[in-house]
């Protein structure tokens, strides 16, 4: 049987082996470094729905607090949700939800000291927080839209700093 850890993909696609099969990247030789990632997203909704969230009159309870907790929990479970994603020893997670004219803007920031970055954890936190807002408010507004989920910033690791262009 071949040594699966020795097979390198000649085209440099890190999640595929030389035969094109999916694989988890071996990060064992990489150094632990401090890394941070920040992602954002938006739940668009009717003004009345946003007002109900802000004034606390949504029948299911405190939407912002529940979505914040859901985002934090999602970041901690990212490796169980995203195939080939490494489990990370997360140092800190912050999930912020801000009412805007368009709806609820969500931002998640993740800090780790690890061999690989935290981009997927930040993106997952935003997505799950947004889904939680939708779930808690769907009786008021089934037309809500979840979108604009993107990586805003990341630092650390071999590739250094990434900052999304405005």
């Amino acid at each position: 049987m071949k040594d699966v850890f020795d097979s390198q993909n000649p085209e440099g696609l890190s999640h595929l082996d030389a035969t094109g099969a999916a694989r988890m990247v071996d990060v064992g030789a990489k150094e632990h470094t401090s890394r941070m990632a920040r992602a954002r997203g938006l739940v668009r909704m009717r003004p009345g729905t946003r007002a109900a969230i802000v004034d606390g009159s949504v029948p299911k309870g405190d939407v912002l607090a529940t979505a914040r907790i859901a985002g934090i929990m999602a970041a901690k479970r990212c490796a169980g949700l995203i195939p080939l994603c490494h489990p990370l020893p997360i140092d800190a997670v912050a999930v912020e939800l801000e009412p805007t004219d368009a709806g609820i803007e969500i931002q998640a920031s993740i800090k780790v000291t690890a061999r690989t970055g935290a981009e997927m954890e930040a993106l997952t936190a935003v997505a799950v927080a947004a889904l939680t807002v939708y779930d808690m408010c769907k009786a008021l507004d089934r037309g809500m839209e979840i979108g604009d989920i993107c990586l805003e910033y990341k630092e650390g690791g071999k590739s250094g700093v990434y900052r999304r262009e405005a």
Side-chain angles (χ1 to χ4, degrees):
M1 209 169 196
K2 71 178 181 171
D3 182 351
V4 296
F5 296 118
D6 280 342
S7 93
Q8 297 293 319
N9 181 319
E11 301 190 18
L13 299 174
S14 62
H15 284 86
L16 300 176
D17 69 13
T19 68
R23 68 178 177 103
M24 190 170 189
V25 175
D26 182 355
V27 297
K30 294 172 77 176
E31 293 293 321
H32 281 86
T33 59
S34 180
R35 299 157 184 267
M36 193 278 262
R38 185 174 59 245
R40 69 170 164 81
L42 178 66
V43 183
R44 289 180 182 81
M45 61 190 61
R46 296 189 317 229
T49 306
R50 186 186 64 251
I53 291 170
V54 171
D55 71 23
S57 64
V58 174
K60 286 190 172 184
D62 187 337
V63 174
L64 302 179
T66 304
R68 182 176 296 108
I69 292 168
I72 292 167
M73 291 175 65
K76 291 168 38 175
R77 294 182 176 198
C78 185
L81 299 169
I82 308 296
L84 312 179
C85 189
H86 288 83
L88 296 181
I90 294 175
D91 297 325
V93 179
V95 178
E96 301 300 323
L97 295 99
E98 182 72 33
T100 68
D101 290 342
I104 304 295
E105 187 172 309
I106 303 165
Q107 180 175 286
S109 299
I110 312 290
K111 285 178 135 181
V112 300
T113 303
R115 292 179 166 129
T116 189
E119 295 96 313
M120 294 310 302
E121 286 72 11
L123 291 161
T124 299
V126 169
V128 171
L131 289 167
T132 301
V133 170
Y134 187 96
D135 179 55
M136 293 189 73
C137 298
K138 66 186 178 221
L140 303 174
D141 185 357
R142 292 199 189 271
M144 289 177 288
E145 295 179 8
I146 295 170
D148 301 333
I149 297 174
C150 63
L151 180 68
E152 282 192 319
Y153 179 83
K154 83 99 185 156
E155 64 184 44
K158 189 167 94 174
S159 64
V161 174
Y162 165 81
R163 188 180 324 277
R164 185 173 188 81
E165 299 289 325

